[in-house]
Amino acid sequence: TASTTTVGKSHVDLQTYILAYEEIIKIFAVLGSVFKFVSTDVERKLSILRSKQQQQPQHYITLSSMIRYETETNLTASDSNNGCRTLLRLHRALEFVAEFINALIEKKDSSVSGPVWNAYSETLAKHHTWIIRNTVSMAMYTLPTRQSILLQVGREEDPGSLTPLVKTMREVYEIVQSTYTQSALLDLK
């Protein structure tokens, strides 16, 4: 399962995290063309992490090894495309995706724009500028119906089958959040 391969008691395997995110971004394709910019941004971030792994694989095995290497070599301050900053952005988006999927499971209404906006407001909005928040607000009106989303992800008959996915996303989120908190990296610019 994802939880046994992605997270240990206190570490996150970076390669598995990247592979999991490659699956997660498929969700944005289901949300329509307005969300294409999100997929493109996530792809760019994954590309940065892959590049770091290829260039210096010994330092990019786990989240902890990456943090240790980049803080000890001051890359978190000198390299704007450092792995810590890049993964932090993905980490923030993971919280949103987990809450978005949870809204699909729990809310039975046809329209998902309200629950998705609430998930966004409680997660990513606090990290976005006014312009981005307004763009996202407008994009909410273009979301397909709950039924359409569930049909496209193959869960129309049993949306509750997504519950383990949400649970795993939340577990990974909490471990990464804790690791970044302990390393004082939650405010990386």
Side-chain angles (χ1 to χ4, degrees):
T1 68
S3 62
T4 58
T5 57
T6 306
V7 292
K9 287 186 177 182
S10 63
H11 82 276
V12 173
D13 177 83
L14 285 181
Q15 183 60 34
T16 306
Y17 189 92
I18 291 168
L19 292 172
Y21 236 106
E22 288 171 351
E23 294 301 313
I24 290 169
I25 62 172
K26 293 176 183 176
I27 292 169
F28 294 114
V30 171
L31 300 180
S33 60
V34 177
F35 283 84
K36 179 72 176 156
F37 76 94
V38 176
S39 295
T40 302
D41 187 50
V42 169
E43 277 292 343
R44 190 180 64 72
K45 287 172 175 46
L46 293 174
S47 178
I48 291 169
L49 291 176
R50 281 189 218 100
S51 176
K52 299 280 184 194
Q53 279 191 316
Q54 290 168 356
Q55 292 169 5
Q56 295 183 308
Q58 71 277 17
H59 299 299
Y60 294 88
I61 297 167
T62 65
L63 175 63
S64 296
S65 67
M66 176 183 71
I67 289 173
R68 185 173 35 262
Y69 170 69
E70 290 194 349
T71 54
E72 288 174 358
T73 59
N74 204 33
L75 285 173
T76 54
S78 63
D79 178 3
S80 62
N81 285 326
N82 66 72
C84 291
R85 178 188 177 281
T86 301
L87 194 131
L88 178 61
R89 297 329 186 251
L90 292 171
H91 167 66
R92 291 171 178 167
L94 181 65
E95 182 183 27
F96 165 72
V97 173
E99 296 315 310
F100 164 72
I101 294 172
N102 192 57
L104 286 178
I105 296 167
E106 292 184 352
K107 307 297 181 198
K108 306 301 182 207
D109 298 341
S110 176
S111 173
V112 294
S113 59
V116 173
W117 176 252
N118 290 341
Y120 173 77
S121 297
E122 294 170 7
T123 59
L124 285 175
K126 60 189 163 202
H127 306 290
H128 287 165
T129 63
W130 178 85
I131 292 171
I132 293 173
R133 288 191 307 269
N134 281 343
T135 301
V136 172
S137 174
M138 298 306 290
M140 293 296 152
Y141 294 104
T142 69
L143 287 172
T145 65
R146 176 182 183 270
Q147 190 74 9
S148 176
I149 294 169
L150 291 171
L151 179 65
Q152 290 184 56
V153 297
R155 300 292 190 230
E156 180 182 24
E157 298 300 321
D158 185 16
S161 65
L162 293 169
T163 301
L165 174 63
V166 172
K167 181 180 183 287
T168 299
M169 288 177 161
R170 287 175 172 166
E171 288 172 1
V172 172
Y173 177 85
E174 289 303 322
I175 290 170
V176 173
Q177 184 76 7
S178 174
T179 304
Y180 270 81
T181 299
Q182 291 169 8
S183 302
L185 293 174
L186 283 174
D187 293 322
L188 276 178
K189 302 290 180 214

